[in-house]
Amino acid sequence: MSDHQRIHPVHDVEAPHRPLVPENTAKSDKGSTHLPRRTFPVMHSKPPKKTRSCCCRFLCWALSTLLILIVAIAITLGILYLVFRPKLPKYSVDHLRISQFNESDNNSIYAAFNVRITARNPNKKIGIYYEGGSHISAWYMDTELCEGSLPKFYQGHRNTTVLDLSLSGQAQNASGLLSSIQEQVQKTNNVPLNLRVNQPVRVKLGKLKLFKVKFRVRCRLVVDNLGASEDIRISNSSCKFRLRL
């Protein structure tokens, strides 16, 4: 029986030893091989500018101050309303007399009205100072016929004041105006007339006299005619009031 010959590999002593894993690779505890780590530069964001923070602080402060002022004003107005219970004054036109309404040689109309207006102050704790610089005018359509003013006076609490006012003026284009009024009377048996009042006043709350404001009153009348006569019959009258600062 022949002998079995075993052949053993012979290592080459002179050949250099080359590791299977590169030297710069890292091994984990489990023996797995990782690729070499590469480091990247970290980009740091620039710190915010101080000017932006200052602007934000100022804006927040301004908004907070404005909100506080609005709340304070609202609370003050609410307290004043509860204490004084303000009510709007009321006005009415009770009487109208036309003393002059005739055509002149220069194609114009001279008009003179006497108007009685009743002003009512329904407030218990509020007085009204009627200041100078008022203006009242009478209009037919878009034509101003005459004008005047209200006297200066003080109207106390729950007071009713009757004003007899004189208005006078001159209107142009008499022929066209008279023909328009005659046509209006023939169609409807009445004439629309408007009174406009602009009155500066000061409101008195208790003992406190406030700043000057303007009362704006607009009255619409329906009269039977616009001829010069003793009395003009007013078939309808309504006045609207507005307050202007």
Side-chain angles (χ1 to χ4, degrees):
M1 184 173 181
S2 60
D3 297 332
H4 294 280
Q5 186 178 2
R6 295 181 178 180
I7 300 174
H8 299 278
V10 179
H11 297 283
D12 190 358
V13 179
E14 296 180 356
H17 177 70
R18 295 181 180 179
L20 297 177
V21 180
E23 294 179 356
N24 57 350
T25 58
K27 291 185 177 181
S28 64
D29 297 336
K30 296 180 179 181
S32 60
T33 304
H34 298 280
L35 295 176
R37 296 180 180 179
R38 299 179 64 182
T39 59
F40 297 93
V42 180
M43 301 298 293
H44 297 283
S45 59
K46 295 182 180 180
K49 296 182 179 180
K50 293 183 179 181
T51 55
R52 292 185 178 179
S53 61
C54 294
C55 291
C56 291
R57 290 179 181 176
F58 176 77
L59 182 60
C60 293
W61 176 83
L63 292 177
S64 301
T65 305
L66 181 61
L67 181 61
I68 292 173
L69 288 176
I70 293 175
V71 173
I73 292 174
I75 293 174
T76 304
L77 293 177
I79 294 174
L80 290 176
Y81 178 81
L82 293 176
V83 171
F84 293 98
R85 298 286 182 176
K87 298 178 181 180
L88 296 178
K90 298 179 180 180
Y91 301 90
S92 63
V93 181
D94 304 322
H95 182 75
L96 173 64
R97 180 182 178 186
I98 300 178
S99 57
Q100 184 180 7
F101 196 81
N102 50 18
E103 183 180 358
S104 64
D105 297 334
N106 57 356
N107 195 25
S108 61
I109 291 179
Y110 288 96
F113 291 5
N114 294 320
V115 183
R116 178 175 296 169
I117 297 178
T118 301
R120 297 177 177 86
N121 179 16
N123 295 282
K124 295 180 181 180
K125 301 178 181 180
I126 299 177
I128 303 174
Y129 287 93
Y130 285 78
E131 303 286 343
S134 64
H135 183 263
I136 178 173
S137 56
W139 292 71
Y140 171 75
M141 300 299 184
D142 295 330
T143 303
E144 181 179 335
L145 302 177
C146 51
E147 59 182 356
S149 62
L150 278 71
K152 294 175 61 176
F153 68 98
Y154 171 72
Q155 189 174 30
H157 312 150
R158 287 189 169 181
N159 176 265
T160 299
T161 303
V162 179
L163 303 171
D164 288 318
L165 308 174
S166 298
L167 286 67
S168 61
Q170 181 180 1
Q172 303 298 325
N173 190 18
S175 58
L177 183 61
L178 290 176
S179 62
S180 176
I181 294 174
Q182 291 175 359
E183 291 179 2
Q184 182 73 31
V185 172
Q186 291 176 358
K187 291 180 180 179
T188 61
N189 292 324
N190 54 50
V191 179
L193 191 66
N194 296 325
L195 289 181
R196 302 178 183 179
V197 181
N198 293 321
Q199 174 65 53
V201 300
R202 289 183 184 272
V203 178
K204 185 180 180 182
L205 299 178
K207 296 183 179 181
L208 179 62
K209 190 175 181 180
L210 301 182
F211 55 89
K212 185 182 293 186
V213 295
K214 277 191 176 182
F215 283 179
R216 182 178 177 181
V217 184
R218 298 293 183 264
C219 297
R220 293 184 177 181
L221 310 178
V222 177
V223 298
D224 56 351
N225 66 81
L226 286 182
S229 61
E230 291 295 328
D231 294 310
I232 301 297
R233 186 174 62 87
I234 301 175
S235 58
N236 191 9
S237 173
S238 63
C239 295
K240 292 184 179 181
F241 169 84
R242 291 182 63 183
L243 178 64
R244 296 181 61 186
L245 299 179

